[in-house]
Amino acid sequence: MIEPVQLPPPWCDARVTVVVPTYNEAGNLPVLVERLLALPLPALHILIADDNSPDGTGDVADKLATDHPERITVVHRPGKEGLGRAYVDGIGRALDAGADYVAQMDADLSHPPEALPGMLGTLLSTSAGVVIGSRYVPGGQLDEAWPLYRRALSGWANFYVHSLLRVRIRDLTAGFKIWRSDVLRDIDLGRVQSNGYSFQVEMHYLATRLGHTVLEVPIRFADRLDGTSKMTTATKVESALMPFRLRSKHRGVGRD
């Protein structure tokens, strides 16, 4: 586990909301919340968007919110509608509540919460609109436990999307990032239609189309220790088709 960066005031007091979508993450969520609340970011808020998890994740989230009412909000969604829809809902609520910066991260502990202060510092010290915790820039790592087929699938997915969309981001499918709120408003969540993991690609694509600077910083991506992956065949098919749809759908957005 890395040691979090100690940011100076007023940076350490920035109003950051971390949006965490959940589905069957009852075992991981308390650990993630404990690590997030331990960060040297006293104004950090956590918004958990649960898709009616049958394993009781929503109840776990409610208990955490009861224990930390000033720092945790829980959104109970009607059912499993996918990662993208949960993020659109959660990010929209974070913006409505006045967050200056919005972070995205998975609930399965694959993203190191301790990297978040450093990512915020990079965002605040540059003109970047979003900072990505990247597996594929120098210094980035994949968990040694990742099997070869997962490494190959992830690498191929990034190469495939790069080839079609020509976006200069190494980790286009990354799910760990922090945004400026004005950039999210410029993107306009209402135009984002992707679900599953292609949601990440669409957000990155729109940010670059609109001229916002995207920076990547290295992280170590860990393998989950509890629960199972939510990657389905339908998700893979959607991700394969999405670059073609994005080029057509967003042709009039931003640059030519």
Side-chain angles (χ1 to χ4, degrees), residues 20-26 48-55 57-58 79-82 107 224 227-230:
V20 182
T22 56
Y23 186 77
N24 288 351
E25 296 290 356
I48 301 164
D50 184 64
D51 274 7
N52 197 21
S53 300
D55 75 339
T57 300
K80 188 178 182 182
E81 297 178 342
R224 69 161 57 241
T228 58
S229 173
K230 311 306 186 297

Side-chain angles (χ1 to χ4, degrees), residues 15-242:
R15 292 187 300 172
V16 178
T17 294
V18 182
V19 177
V20 182
T22 56
Y23 186 77
N24 288 351
E25 296 290 356
N28 290 317
L29 187 59
V31 180
L32 174 63
V33 167
E34 179 182 11
R35 288 170 64 179
L36 282 170
L37 294 181
L39 296 177
L41 299 172
L44 181 143
H45 191 85
I46 304 169
L47 191 152
I48 301 164
D50 184 64
D51 274 7
N52 197 21
S53 300
D55 75 339
T57 300
D59 294 333
V60 172
D62 284 340
K63 175 62 166 59
L64 292 166
T66 298
D67 293 341
H68 306 280
E70 301 300 320
R71 304 195 66 184
I72 300 176
T73 299
V74 182
V75 177
H76 292 282
R77 292 165 46 76
K80 188 178 182 182
E81 297 178 342
L83 185 73
R85 297 304 91 204
Y87 263 131
V88 166
D89 191 353
I91 292 172
R93 291 171 185 261
L95 293 175
D96 290 343
D100 293 322
Y101 309 96
V102 178
Q104 295 176 234
M105 67 187 308
D106 292 345
D108 62 4
L109 303 175
S110 58
H111 302 143
E114 293 75 21
L116 192 57
M119 292 166 64
L120 175 62
T122 299
L123 189 73
L124 294 175
S125 62
T126 66
S127 61
V130 58
V131 172
I132 295 172
S134 176
R135 299 163 289 184
Y136 300 125
V137 293
Q141 296 178 310
L142 287 170
D143 194 307
E144 296 79 6
W146 256 40
L148 182 59
Y149 81 90
R150 288 190 67 187
R151 293 172 181 267
L153 178 62
S154 179
W156 168 252
N158 272 278
F159 171 78
Y160 171 76
V161 177
H162 271 294
S163 300
L164 292 174
L165 298 183
R166 305 294 183 184
V167 178
R168 295 183 178 180
I169 299 173
R170 294 208 181 184
D171 199 346
L172 266 168
T173 58
F176 186 26
K177 65 201 82 170
I178 184 166
W179 299 85
R180 295 183 188 271
S181 61
D182 59 325
V183 173
L184 290 169
R185 291 190 176 93
D186 191 32
I187 287 174
D188 181 6
L189 296 172
R191 65 159 59 106
V192 178
Q193 299 300 316
S194 304
N195 208 351
Y197 295 88
S198 57
F199 168 81
Q200 314 291 6
V201 175
E202 184 168 12
M203 291 291 284
H204 296 153
Y205 183 62
L206 284 169
T208 57
R209 291 283 300 180
L210 290 165
H212 298 293
T213 300
V214 179
L215 294 181
E216 296 179 82
V217 298
I219 63 162
R220 181 181 182 276
F221 185 90
D223 199 13
R224 69 161 57 241
L225 298 177
D226 184 86
T228 58
S229 173
K230 311 306 186 297
M231 178 71 78
T232 65
T233 300
T235 299
K236 294 174 184 177
V237 171
E238 184 203 23
S239 298
L241 296 175
M242 187 52 63

